[in-house]
Amino acid sequence: MPVNKAVPDADQYYPLNEPPIGVTYPEDVYPQNAKLPVLFQPLTLRGTTFKNRIFVSPMCQYSSDNGHATDWHMVHIGGFATRGAGAVCMEAHAIVPEGRISPQDAGIYTDSQIPPLQRIVKFAHAQQTLIGVQLSHAGRKSSTIATWLYADQAGRAKADSWVASREDGGWPDEVYSASDVPFSPLHPNPKPMDKAHLQYVEDAWLKAIERCKAVGYDFIEIHAAHGYLIHQFLSPLSNTRTDAYGGPSLNNRMRWPLRLLTRIRAAWDKPLFIRISATDWMEGPERGEDGEWRQWGLQQSKFFVGKLLKIGVDLIDCSTGGLYVHQKIPIGPGYQVPFAEELKKAYPDLPVGAVGLITDPHQAESYLSEGKADVVFLARELIRNPHWPMLAAERLGVAVKPANQYERGWTRMLKPASRH
């Protein structure tokens, strides 16, 4: 008589999935799996094997309780962990309280935040899904209200400012950045970080790494994109310092980020991802005719990524934008993939992730099979369809293990192909 096996060593009963959710079945039972799409081939980074190349992007939920994860996060993240993704990256977690985007943003700056995160990680591991976290400091984009409070999804303004006041739980007088240049007139006015504050933030990042170890994460992603603190140091649009950490000099603007990332790499022995914005999307060239850098762009990104490769970073999550309030982005399917492709050309041996309006399984597979990227990160498409990994398998003609509880919904995908 078959037995409904339990996941061994789990905190409570969960049915054991054999093979794990999101893993392809053996070809002797499913001949269609003899030649697997790259999307469903495993990837090993620093000794950790990801079961497929579909990664869940960090998605801010603005639903934390004083920086602590809640049952919303358990349901949100747990849903992805049970639906076949190769990895789930939790949303940006601030490494200091004043580094949060909003008062309801997630944090990992105090030990009391560890237990609720452990609960989520243990659940993901019971479903045999790898889980990581994005670590961040919002810099000049901190102490702001949740996105849906400022505008609706049609872009119609609902508030006259992005600033979260002290009455709203914000800290508008304790916002820090590379320079005193605000993101926009509707955002807080930041204070330039002096050397002591740089050291304070750097040390806080290392304390967050230790908490990640206690939580049990399988990988970490450092947020150096979308106009947050590290990106603020990298871009000449936001870094107008005149000391060794800024100004026109690219080496100066990279100095503190590279110092920080070198320390993080030394402290964390599991896979380390870095998310970058490959361009600020300001109109005009990256570099002027006078030789001065005008904005952050692909040329500087390539140089920066080369430095990250020497540090020992395991994957570049290539995004764009978020730093320049007047950015002009030509939105379209896969609009950010060409930047990932350029990084991949420059560093063929460095795994690169592609993001940005990736919605169709054949589209995603083409980016990987053509060598433009090694993994795809999905966010909005997974909000619309958390079962996207199973849908992708069905459309690409392979048989992939759904959760036991969901198998009845994927009978067409689970039908073995003819052996003729």
Side-chain angles (χ1 to χ4, degrees), residues 95-112:
I95 50 88
V96 290
E98 67 276 12
R100 289 174 293 166
I101 301 167
S102 81
Q104 296 80 37
D105 201 21
I108 191 163
Y109 47 79
T110 182
D111 288 351
S112 62

Side-chain angles (χ1 to χ4, degrees), residues 70-196:
T70 66
D71 282 354
W72 174 268
H73 299 93
M74 181 67 176
V75 173
H76 172 67
I77 297 299
F80 296 130
T82 59
R83 288 171 167 86
V88 180
C89 189
M90 291 192 70
E91 67 192 87
H93 279 55
I95 50 88
V96 290
E98 67 276 12
R100 289 174 293 166
I101 301 167
S102 81
Q104 296 80 37
D105 201 21
I108 191 163
Y109 47 79
T110 182
D111 288 351
S112 62
Q113 290 160 342
I114 294 174
L117 294 174
Q118 284 177 325
R119 178 171 174 246
I120 295 168
V121 168
K122 288 178 179 178
F123 178 82
H125 285 167
Q127 315 312 315
Q128 296 162 285
T129 297
L130 296 178
I131 183 169
V133 66
Q134 186 183 67
L135 301 184
S136 182
H137 187 304
R140 67 181 187 172
K141 294 176 80 173
S142 67
S143 192
T144 59
I145 57 178
T147 54
W148 59 78
L149 296 177
Y150 180 76
D152 62 22
Q153 289 303 306
R156 295 181 292 253
K158 298 164 64 177
D160 57 8
S161 171
W162 276 99
V163 178
S165 67
R166 292 221 172 254
E167 291 73 24
D168 295 327
W171 50 96
D173 299 325
E174 295 299 324
V175 171
Y176 294 89
S177 182
S179 305
D180 59 355
V181 182
F183 177 62
S184 82
L186 304 180
H187 282 72
N189 293 311
K191 300 177 182 179
M193 296 169 67
D194 60 20
K195 290 184 178 179

Side-chain angles (χ1 to χ4, degrees), residues 32-321:
Q32 64 263 47
N33 288 356
K35 183 173 175 57
L36 294 177
V38 182
L39 199 62
F40 287 98
Q41 294 176 14
L43 175 68
T44 299
L45 301 174
R46 197 170 287 267
T48 297
T49 298
F50 297 81
K51 56 193 175 187
N52 61 50
R53 312 294 183 97
I54 303 167
F55 288 10
V56 180
S57 273
M59 291 178 258
C60 286
Q61 299 296 292
Y62 306 100
S63 302
S64 297
D65 185 357
N66 194 24
H68 295 69
T70 66
D71 282 354
W72 174 268
H73 299 93
M74 181 67 176
V75 173
H76 172 67
I77 297 299
F80 296 130
T82 59
R83 288 171 167 86
V88 180
C89 189
M90 291 192 70
E91 67 192 87
H93 279 55
I95 50 88
V96 290
E98 67 276 12
R100 289 174 293 166
I101 301 167
S102 81
Q104 296 80 37
D105 201 21
I108 191 163
Y109 47 79
T110 182
D111 288 351
S112 62
Q113 290 160 342
I114 294 174
L117 294 174
Q118 284 177 325
R119 178 171 174 246
I120 295 168
V121 168
K122 288 178 179 178
F123 178 82
H125 285 167
Q127 315 312 315
Q128 296 162 285
T129 297
L130 296 178
I131 183 169
V133 66
Q134 186 183 67
L135 301 184
S136 182
H137 187 304
R140 67 181 187 172
K141 294 176 80 173
S142 67
S143 192
T144 59
I145 57 178
T147 54
W148 59 78
L149 296 177
Y150 180 76
D152 62 22
Q153 289 303 306
R156 295 181 292 253
K158 298 164 64 177
D160 57 8
S161 171
W162 276 99
V163 178
S165 67
R166 292 221 172 254
E167 291 73 24
D168 295 327
W171 50 96
D173 299 325
E174 295 299 324
V175 171
Y176 294 89
S177 182
S179 305
D180 59 355
V181 182
F183 177 62
S184 82
L186 304 180
H187 282 72
N189 293 311
K191 300 177 182 179
M193 296 169 67
D194 60 20
K195 290 184 178 179
H197 199 89
L198 285 172
Q199 191 66 52
Y200 153 72
V201 170
E202 191 175 320
D203 292 344
W205 230 297
L206 272 292
K207 293 175 183 176
I209 297 292
E210 295 307 309
R211 294 188 182 99
C212 287
K213 294 177 183 178
V215 171
Y217 285 120
D218 301 297
F219 64 93
I220 286 173
E221 176 172 284
I222 303 299
H223 204 343
H226 300 169
Y228 296 123
L229 184 63
I230 295 177
H231 189 183
Q232 290 163 29
F233 269 86
L234 293 173
S235 176
L237 294 175
S238 50
N239 187 342
T240 60
R241 301 171 73 102
T242 57
D243 63 3
Y245 300 102
S249 166
L250 173 58
N251 284 328
N252 280 6
R253 284 183 277 114
M254 293 193 305
R255 190 181 309 279
W256 182 71
L258 289 176
R259 188 178 83 187
L260 168 65
L261 295 171
T262 299
R263 288 189 67 191
I264 289 173
R265 174 72 285 174
W268 179 255
D269 61 4
K270 294 179 181 180
L272 178 64
F273 304 172
I274 310 293
R275 172 167 279 197
I276 70 164
S277 281
T279 179
D280 287 336
W281 289 114
M282 186 179 80
E283 292 181 297
E286 179 179 350
R287 199 170 198 172
E289 293 182 359
D290 57 2
E292 294 291 321
W293 300 106
R294 299 183 67 246
Q295 62 175 307
W296 184 256
L298 187 57
Q299 188 176 347
Q300 293 165 94
S301 293
K302 288 181 180 178
F303 192 78
F304 182 54
V305 168
K307 297 288 188 181
L308 298 180
L309 182 59
K310 292 180 180 178
I311 289 173
V313 168
D314 299 297
L315 181 142
I316 298 297
D317 180 0
C318 182
S319 188
T320 62

